[in-house]
Amino acid sequence: MSFSSQVFPVFWYEDHVRLINQNQLPTVYEIVEISRCDDMALAIKTMIVRGAPAIGVAAAYGMYLGAREIESDDREQFLNQLSEVAQKLRETRPTAVNLFWAIERMMKTARQTMGPVDHIKQVLLKTAQAINAEDLDTCQAIGNHGLQALPTSPEKLTLLTHCNAGALATAGYGTSLGVVRSAWQAGRLERLYADETRPRLQGAKLTAWECVQEGIPVTLITDSMAAHCMKQGRIDAVVVGADRIAANGDTANKIGTYSLALVAHAHAVPFYVAAPLSTIDFSLSDGSQIPIEERDPVEIYQIGQTRICPPGAEFYNPAFDVTPADLITGIITEHGTMKPSELIQLRMKQVV
Ligand code: MRU
């Protein structure tokens, strides 16, 4: 089944990249034109583009833009300078492993491509475009598998999600919101509850915007209302995205996901993680090894231009948390849905 979202946050246009400025939504729909690697690195860092798979696609294009700026025709010099480009892009955000996965794929492509430097550059552009296109197919597959994994009763489900793991966070369909889209398309969705997602409000600003664009019924709640809604029996299942999944299934996602998983467990509500295989980091045995990004405290103490707390208070602003595998009912990937403990079989079968 195929159902496009019509929202493409990262795409190649003529000779540069176009990004939807996610810091301006939902009030302003602005396209940012990116022609230089430095500008792409800044766009990732400042969250003009955000969401693990979208960051991966953006970084892949960033690698090409950086390659294009290298003047040397000497292969070794080119590869050395490209390694510096890769390092610059790696330093933008630490948690989403898709960033590192895409950069590594681009570096490997450069190393394995023979012929003149100009040819390597062209192959790098094609590879970035392939990563972009593959992510759309991957998300469609996640949506279809997710639809099969959802509870069979009631016929029309009310789902809850956190943050934005939608079209805006991927190449254009979404992971958890891809599952929601597929359920909506199949007539199995009654409504989506969206957590507002403090402090940056991706749920309020982005998930609600995507749903409204497509006529998907959406009810926005503050993060602290999820337990109450579950106790009232309003929620049939929770579906969230992921930034990095360790080999044992422990999952890093937007701050607040862990508490959502705990309350889902307390109310026997199934809790699903939807993510591409590129989000699984088999080099980490468990979630304690996942680097957690800490962001500027201004995200906590200021709303718009208004400071909301007294001077003298201190702040702690982790952007992600880790949900232990035993709180996760299933991980929905493009290869199907599995229990966290079954992930390792993908490695053994060399699927990833
Ligand atoms: O800080 P963000 O907005 O990049 O965080 C995004 C999330 O946590 C998403 O849930 C995750 O990246 C999955 S996106 C398909």
Side-chain angles (χ1 to χ4, degrees):
M1 191 187 304
S2 173
F3 173 54
S4 170
S5 69
Q6 309 300 331
V7 174
F8 305 106
V10 189
F11 59 98
W12 185 254
Y13 180 75
E14 294 180 351
D15 61 352
H16 64 280
V17 182
R18 286 186 158 176
L19 301 176
I20 298 175
N21 187 346
Q22 300 192 36
N23 290 326
Q24 296 293 329
L25 288 172
T27 37
V28 179
Y29 184 90
E30 180 191 75
I31 297 293
V32 179
E33 320 268 352
I34 305 280
S35 300
R36 295 178 58 252
C37 175
D38 279 358
D39 294 336
M40 185 61 92
L42 193 63
I44 296 171
K45 218 180 175 78
T46 57
M47 295 177 66
I48 286 172
V49 58
R50 35 67 52 202
I55 293 172
V57 175
Y61 283 125
M63 285 290 288
Y64 167 67
L65 295 175
R68 192 169 71 176
E69 289 163 33
I70 298 172
E71 287 173 5
S72 174
D73 286 333
D74 176 79
R75 179 187 170 81
E76 280 317 302
Q77 279 183 15
F78 171 77
L79 289 177
N80 285 340
Q81 289 181 43
L82 193 63
S83 296
E84 289 166 21
V85 169
Q87 191 50 30
K88 188 185 306 171
L89 288 163
R90 280 189 202 103
E91 283 164 11
T92 52
R93 295 194 71 191
T95 304
V97 78
N98 309 62
L99 175 86
F100 305 92
W101 172 88
I103 293 169
E104 192 43 45
R105 181 162 160 191
M106 294 293 282
M107 269 317 296
K108 198 168 163 190
T109 300
R111 284 192 214 101
Q112 290 178 346
T113 304
M114 293 303 144
V117 164
D118 274 350
H119 172 66
I120 303 176
K121 290 179 182 175
Q122 284 321 302
V123 174
L124 285 174
L125 175 58
K126 285 203 163 45
T127 307
Q129 288 173 314
I131 289 172
N132 198 345
E134 285 164 20
D135 189 63
L136 269 178
D137 291 345
T138 297
C139 287
Q140 290 276 353
I142 289 172
N144 293 341
H145 285 301
L147 184 57
Q148 306 309 318
L150 290 172
T152 48
S153 151
E155 174 59 25
K156 285 194 174 259
L157 297 164
T158 299
L159 303 176
L160 171 65
T161 194
H162 189 68
C163 192
N164 173 269
L168 287 164
T170 60
Y173 189 74
T175 55
S176 66
L177 219 48
V179 176
V180 170
R181 282 197 163 90
S182 294
W184 174 243
Q185 182 71 355
R188 291 223 50 218
L189 184 77
E190 177 69 30
R191 169 165 300 274
L192 178 70
Y193 275 67
D195 281 353
E196 66 169 351
T197 318
R198 279 281 286 160
R200 288 188 67 100
L201 305 175
Q202 289 94 329
K205 292 181 172 178
L206 307 178
T207 297
W209 180 78
E210 283 194 37
C211 289
V212 169
Q213 293 299 303
E214 286 173 36
I216 298 174
V218 62
T219 298
L220 193 60
I221 56 173
T222 68
D223 303 345
S224 50
M225 295 172 187
H228 179 71
C229 291
M230 287 186 203
K231 194 170 190 182
Q232 289 183 321
R234 288 173 185 259
I235 310 298
D236 298 307
V238 177
V239 193
V240 299
D243 285 83
R244 197 185 295 223
I245 303 175
N248 71 342
D250 290 352
T251 295
N253 191 49
K254 180 54 54 195
I255 192 77
T257 303
Y258 175 32
S259 39
L260 191 58
L262 285 168
V263 296
H265 183 72
H267 294 91
V269 172
F271 184 93
Y272 293 97
V273 170
L277 297 180
S278 54
T279 303
I280 305 171
D281 186 348
F282 282 106
S283 74
L284 306 183
S285 56
D286 65 63
S288 66
Q289 298 156 42
I290 299 176
I292 300 294
E293 177 180 12
E294 266 187 57
R295 295 189 62 87
D296 193 325
V298 70
E299 293 179 353
I300 297 182
Y301 67 68
Q302 201 164 297
I303 294 185
Q305 296 309 310
T306 309
R307 193 182 163 106
I308 58 164
C309 60
E314 294 181 9
F315 307 96
Y316 174 48
N317 187 19
F320 300 94
D321 57 26
V322 176
T323 299
D326 58 6
L327 294 177
I328 298 170
T329 311
I331 298 181
I332 304 164
T333 76
E334 65 271 38
H335 274 259
T337 303
M338 55 210 82
K339 293 198 182 80
S341 59
E342 293 168 340
L343 276 186
I344 203 72
Q345 290 171 16
L346 293 174
R347 191 56 153 185
M348 279 152 33
K349 287 186 206 152
Q350 297 194 324
V351 178
V352 265

